[in-house]
Amino acid sequence: MPTFEARAKQIKIVIFDVDGIMTDGSLYFCEDGSEIKTFNILDGQGIKLLQKAGIKTGIITGRQSNMVKKRASDLGIDHLYQGREDKIVVLDQLLKDIDLSYDNVAYMGDDLPDLPIIRRVGLGITVANGHPTVTEYAFWQTTKAGGKGAVREFCDKLLSARGELDELLQPYLS
């Protein structure tokens, strides 16, 4: 079985679920029915480091939210798909459109709708508080919970495994 490092070198796009990955999975509703989500700033910096390394980014989420659209825009996420429970169908079409294979994908998810993708891609990742079945099939699991820096933990590990993290950190160290 290929190592994390070998798989990491094949990754050209990282795709994230939102609830439970980029957020802590809690749903906050206002009296008017609008929704509030909180995102971790460390995770955003991790995504920006991926982009600086030339790795494309994407979101596939089952829920629809203007806040996710704003966060994706603020971070320069390349591909955004919301309101899609058929995540593997979305991924198949995306890979066809950008001419990549499953081996070129890292996907980060936490629950059963993410499982078909996690089982197929080059790097299927879950968070510390991912569902036990997802944990069983994920190639790697973060030590941090979703919405609590797990995205950043994975981004740093991926970039380190590719031998790119130290160079990306240099502008902040000089």
Side-chain angles (χ1 to χ4, degrees), residues 68-140:
V68 171
K69 183 178 178 183
K70 169 126 178 60
R71 184 67 172 151
S73 175
D74 289 350
L75 291 174
I77 300 282
D78 300 293
H79 306 279
L80 173 62
Y81 302 91
Q82 294 196 81
R84 299 296 301 264
E85 290 291 332
D86 57 342
K87 294 180 179 191
I88 194 72
V89 172
V90 174
L91 178 61
D92 285 342
Q93 185 60 54
L94 174 61
L95 293 179
K96 183 179 174 188
D97 292 346
I98 62 177
D99 195 30
L100 293 177
S101 72
Y102 286 132
D103 289 340
N104 302 129
V105 178
Y107 181 84
M108 201 169 181
D110 68 319
D111 210 345
L112 299 178
D114 304 306
L115 200 49
I117 295 178
I118 285 175
R119 294 185 63 214
R120 286 179 179 85
V121 297
L123 273 174
I125 308 300
T126 195
V127 291
N129 59 328
H131 187 277
T133 303
V134 176
T135 299
E136 178 182 340
Y137 287 98
F139 189 81
W140 187 73

Side-chain angles (χ1 to χ4, degrees), residues 35 51 56 60 72 76 79 93 113 137 153 155 163-164:
E35 187 176 6
Q51 295 163 340
K56 298 289 185 197
I60 302 175
H79 306 279
Q93 185 60 54
Y137 287 98
E153 180 183 352
C155 292
E164 299 172 341

